[in-house]
């Protein structure tokens, strides 16, 4: 299994544990391959990612995935499209043995000690990288209506950087 960290910064030699949000212990955060496309975006870009789970209702499968038969969708706001289109990120690859599972549903793995990446790759065409993963990319004026529907649904979801989303 490969684990990744995505950054807009090139050339990070060592990842040092950091405290984020209201957590008390410092960690280096990585993401598994399945959830990696959620991070093919500029860091500040608000996005909503959804995928079905075993108990997702037939109604929700049809509502969210029925028109394209995709198994994963990511939505961004129209105001972020050009930044995603023109953006680039760096994908750092790590040895999974250096990490422990933190949150299975989100694909988060952490290390509490410094880690050195095995390799780094620049991704310039983010939109192509997203669609090449089989992900449907939706562009919408506001994420808020989708957010409200997802919170009432039975799908898996990840809502990233929503504090940067348009407020209705």
């Amino acid at each position: 299994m490969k684990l990744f960290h995505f950054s807009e910064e090139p050339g990070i030699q060592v990842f040092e544990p950091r405290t984020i949000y209201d957590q008390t212990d410092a960690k280096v955060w990585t993401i598994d391959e399945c959830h990696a496309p959620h991070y093919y975006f500029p860091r500040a870009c608000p996005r909503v990612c959804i995928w079905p789970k075993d108990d997702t209702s037939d109604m929700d499968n049809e509502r969210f995935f029925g028109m394209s038969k995709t198994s994963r969708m990511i939505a961004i706001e129209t105001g972020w499209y050009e930044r995603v289109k023109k953006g680039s990120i760096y994908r750092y690859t790590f040895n999974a043995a250096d990490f422990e599972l933190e949150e299975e549903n989100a694909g988060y793995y952490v290390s509490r000690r410094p880690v050195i990446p095995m390799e780094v790759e620049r991704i310039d065409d983010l939109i192509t990288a997203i669609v090449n993963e089989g992900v449907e990319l939706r562009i919408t004026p506001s994420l808020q209506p989708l957010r409200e529907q997802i919170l009432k649904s039975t799908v898996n979801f990840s809502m990233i950087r929503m504090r940067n989303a348009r407020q209705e």
Side-chain angles (χ1 to χ4, degrees), residues 137-149:
L137 180 62
R138 294 185 190 174
I139 315 298
T140 182
S142 172
L143 292 173
Q144 299 306 331
L146 178 61
R147 176 187 177 277
E148 295 307 315
Q149 291 301 308

Side-chain angles (χ1 to χ4, degrees), residues 68-135:
S68 68
K69 299 299 180 192
T70 186
S71 63
R72 189 167 297 261
M73 183 274 293
I74 301 174
I76 63 169
E77 292 180 330
T78 308
W80 281 88
Y81 177 76
E82 284 299 318
R83 285 177 269 189
V84 173
K85 182 179 170 186
K86 294 176 181 176
S88 63
I89 57 168
Y90 295 87
R91 178 172 56 196
Y92 291 85
T93 305
F94 292 91
N95 183 344
D98 294 333
F99 293 83
E100 62 187 63
L101 182 63
E102 176 82 1
E103 171 55 54
E104 185 174 12
N105 184 58
Y108 295 145
Y109 288 75
V110 298
S111 175
R112 288 175 175 78
R113 63 180 196 275
V115 288
I116 297 171
M118 298 184 326
E119 62 182 302
V120 62
E121 172 189 7
R122 182 181 165 121
I123 301 173
D124 288 315
D125 188 345
L126 300 177
I127 291 176
T128 297
I130 294 161
V131 298
N132 282 348
E133 294 280 352
V135 173

Side-chain angles (χ1 to χ4, degrees), residues 38 48-75 134-138 146 149-150 153-158:
H38 301 178
V48 173
C49 314
I50 64 170
W51 61 102
K53 54 186 177 176
D54 291 341
D55 64 347
T56 295
S57 71
D58 290 342
M59 184 176 79
D60 283 343
N61 265 318
E62 182 62 28
R63 177 167 53 148
F64 293 110
F65 308 107
M67 295 186 344
S68 68
K69 299 299 180 192
T70 186
S71 63
R72 189 167 297 261
M73 183 274 293
I74 301 174
V135 173
E136 178 180 333
L137 180 62
R138 294 185 190 174
L146 178 61
Q149 291 301 308
I150 289 169
S153 79
T154 59
V155 297
N156 267 325
F157 64 88
S158 179

Side-chain angles (χ1 to χ4, degrees), residues 20-51:
I20 60 171
Y21 307 118
D22 59 353
Q23 297 180 347
T24 57
D25 58 333
K27 302 171 189 169
V28 175
W29 290 84
T30 58
I31 192 85
D32 65 18
E33 288 181 83
C34 176
H35 298 86
H38 301 178
Y39 294 88
Y40 290 3
F41 296 87
R43 180 176 176 83
C45 178
R47 54 213 180 260
V48 173
C49 314
I50 64 170
W51 61 102

